[in-house]
Amino acid sequence: MDTVILEHNLKKTIDQLLTKIWEIMVQLNEYDSENKWAVSRSLTDLVACFEEVNALQEKIHHIEVPMKVIEFIDEGRNPAIFMADYVDEVMQENRAVKVKNEAIQGFRKMLLEQLQETFPEQT
């Protein structure tokens, strides 16, 4: 099965899982003996969703989530913000490397000029 389809199915199943958790929370807040069967059915559906997530994640074993992202989510923060911060950090590092690379190229050019002046026959 194509990885994109697997990832889409995993996302869809996780969305269903979150919906089931929300439904159970609502049912438990309004719990009485009349809706115990609804809670039981929702819990069964929740277990089925967990089983499906487990089956799908076994097929998509190549995706690794950095521990920083998991900690960020555990703190209740938006992973999109983490990605934006990470992209900004990478761009800043890229700019710093670019400046260093330009400095090295300038030094190389200056060194070559000096070598040509000092040792014209060898260069």
Side-chain angles (χ1 to χ4, degrees):
M1 190 179 267
D2 188 36
T3 304
V4 175
I5 294 171
L6 285 171
E7 290 172 2
H8 173 73
N9 289 344
L10 182 60
K11 182 184 180 314
K12 183 177 143 191
T13 303
I14 290 173
D15 288 342
Q16 291 172 350
L17 181 80
L18 294 172
T19 301
K20 287 295 172 193
I21 291 171
W22 181 80
E23 286 175 6
I24 291 169
M25 287 176 22
V26 169
Q27 290 170 347
L28 291 176
N29 282 334
E30 300 171 359
Y31 184 78
D32 60 19
S33 61
E34 294 176 9
N35 71 353
K36 68 181 176 182
W37 300 112
V39 172
S40 176
R41 183 176 32 93
S42 294
L43 287 172
T44 303
D45 292 345
L46 181 66
V47 169
C49 282
F50 274 119
E51 289 172 349
E52 190 172 341
V53 166
N54 188 45
L56 288 171
Q57 70 89 24
E58 288 175 359
K59 295 177 184 174
I60 307 176
H61 60 276
H62 67 281
I63 297 174
E64 294 183 23
V65 179
M67 206 55 201
K68 283 183 177 181
V69 175
I70 293 172
E71 290 169 359
F72 203 82
I73 294 169
D74 281 345
E75 293 170 0
R77 298 162 70 190
N78 187 343
I81 294 172
F82 177 86
M83 279 305 299
D85 291 346
Y86 183 74
V87 168
D88 287 343
E89 184 180 321
V90 168
M91 288 176 63
Q92 288 175 359
E93 287 179 23
N94 189 24
R95 276 184 240 134
V97 168
K98 183 179 177 185
V99 168
K100 289 177 184 178
N101 195 18
E102 289 171 354
I104 290 171
Q105 292 298 325
F107 176 74
R108 180 181 176 268
K109 181 180 176 184
M110 187 176 64
L111 180 62
L112 187 59
E113 289 172 357
Q114 289 294 320
L115 286 172
Q116 285 175 344
E117 286 178 19
T118 308
F119 304 106
E121 311 82 45
Q122 286 84 4
T123 58

